Amino acid sequence: MGWEHVSTGDVLRAARRAGTELGRKAQAFMDSGELVPDSVILDLVRDHLKGVPPEAGILLDGFPRTTAQAEGLESVLEAVSRRVDRVVVFQASDDELVKRLAGRRSCPECGAVFNVHFTPSSVEGKCDRCEGKLVQRADDEAETVRRRLVVYGEQTEPLIEWYRRSGARVVPVDAGAPVDEVHKAFRKAVER
Ligand code: AMP
């Protein structure tokens, strides 16, 4: 779609791999399934949005996750005469999410992602694309995934109502459906 894709989780993981100060700040929060402090996340997003051309669409992925982040985002966007136009909520049961996340394996070399239940690599533990050794994200261990779901319910879910009240179009997507259907529903949700 040619949009700028800002995934705060991806940016944080890249910072950790590069060993930067941001990565060091985020590490303990991420590994225990807690949220990284709002001020750290808002600085990161502000930085990433600075260079985006005014005509380009922006997809914010995994952000905002708290009311404070949503309020911070309002002022960041206001400064560049933009606003949140669509909010897509991916919905799936907790059991399904635990299965998906705890089964996820990724390749630190090339970034390819597999899943032991749904899309396993041809040789267990080995990347099909570059033969790198597949790893499980520390925060994808089943117990940490459950903690992430509790944090989601407490801190992120209330944002759905927050955005409804603010007048943004909130579009639920059934994320329990097969990949191609979720993809189609997402494209429809963000259509202009
Ligand atoms: P994700 O890849 O989006 O699931 O993010 C992985 C982890 O990074 C989360 O569990 C948090 O510890 C941290 N993180 C990512 N995005 C945010 C955010 N918007 N606010 C706070 N923490 C975040």
Side-chain angles (χ1 to χ4, degrees), residues 20-80:
T20 64
E21 195 193 334
L22 171 66
R24 279 193 298 278
K25 269 188 202 159
Q27 190 162 330
F29 297 104
M30 293 175 79
D31 287 348
S32 57
E34 302 297 327
L35 294 182
V36 173
D38 292 329
S39 59
V40 174
I41 297 288
L42 278 165
D43 283 350
L44 173 169
V45 170
R46 204 174 288 118
D47 245 35
H48 268 75
L49 295 187
K50 243 188 238 155
V52 182
E55 67 284 1
I58 298 175
L59 175 66
L60 298 167
D61 173 357
F63 169 88
R65 261 159 138 123
T66 65
T67 312
Q69 289 180 18
E71 284 165 354
L73 176 63
E74 297 284 285
S75 50
V76 171
L77 292 180
E78 240 170 65
V80 289

Side-chain angles (χ1 to χ4, degrees), residues 107 110 112 114 121-123 125-134:
C107 176
C110 74
F114 301 87
S121 56
S122 328
V123 179
K126 201 167 172 187
C127 178
D128 282 354
R129 213 197 276 166
C130 76
E131 304 204 331
K133 187 172 179 296
L134 298 180

Side-chain angles (χ1 to χ4, degrees), residues 10 14 23 26 36 60 66 72 141 146-148 153 157 159 169:
D10 282 352
V36 173
L60 298 167
T66 65
E141 280 163 28
R146 295 233 174 252
R147 177 66 199 150
R148 288 162 68 191
E157 204 169 18
L159 274 181
R169 235 169 90 191

Side-chain angles (χ1 to χ4, degrees), residues 16-187:
R16 287 182 60 171
R17 277 196 302 276
T20 64
E21 195 193 334
L22 171 66
R24 279 193 298 278
K25 269 188 202 159
Q27 190 162 330
F29 297 104
M30 293 175 79
D31 287 348
S32 57
E34 302 297 327
L35 294 182
V36 173
D38 292 329
S39 59
V40 174
I41 297 288
L42 278 165
D43 283 350
L44 173 169
V45 170
R46 204 174 288 118
D47 245 35
H48 268 75
L49 295 187
K50 243 188 238 155
V52 182
E55 67 284 1
I58 298 175
L59 175 66
L60 298 167
D61 173 357
F63 169 88
R65 261 159 138 123
T66 65
T67 312
Q69 289 180 18
E71 284 165 354
L73 176 63
E74 297 284 285
S75 50
V76 171
L77 292 180
E78 240 170 65
V80 289
S81 306
R82 289 186 183 246
R83 65 186 171 80
V84 173
D85 167 60
R86 221 60 64 87
V87 176
V88 184
V89 186
F90 292 99
Q91 296 176 320
S93 71
D94 283 7
D95 285 346
E96 176 69 17
L97 292 174
V98 172
K99 191 168 176 193
R100 287 186 189 176
L101 298 188
R104 177 162 59 184
R105 299 290 180 274
S106 50
C107 176
E109 302 296 323
C110 74
V113 179
F114 301 87
N115 187 291
V116 297
H117 307 293
F118 310 110
T119 50
S121 56
S122 328
V123 179
E124 198 187 323
K126 201 167 172 187
C127 178
D128 282 354
R129 213 197 276 166
C130 76
E131 304 204 331
K133 187 172 179 296
L134 298 180
V135 297
Q136 182 180 38
R137 273 169 52 172
D139 62 342
D140 277 347
E141 280 163 28
E143 197 184 316
T144 317
V145 171
R146 295 233 174 252
R147 177 66 199 150
R148 288 162 68 191
L149 290 170
V150 170
V151 169
Y152 174 81
E154 287 172 358
Q155 303 196 52
T156 305
E157 204 169 18
L159 274 181
I160 299 172
E161 202 39 49
W162 190 94
Y163 272 115
R164 278 207 184 102
R165 276 203 308 269
S166 83
R169 235 169 90 191
V170 177
V171 191
V173 163
D174 173 13
V179 173
D180 55 337
E181 280 175 39
V182 177
H183 181 230
K184 246 186 247 152
F186 173 74
R187 295 289 293 230

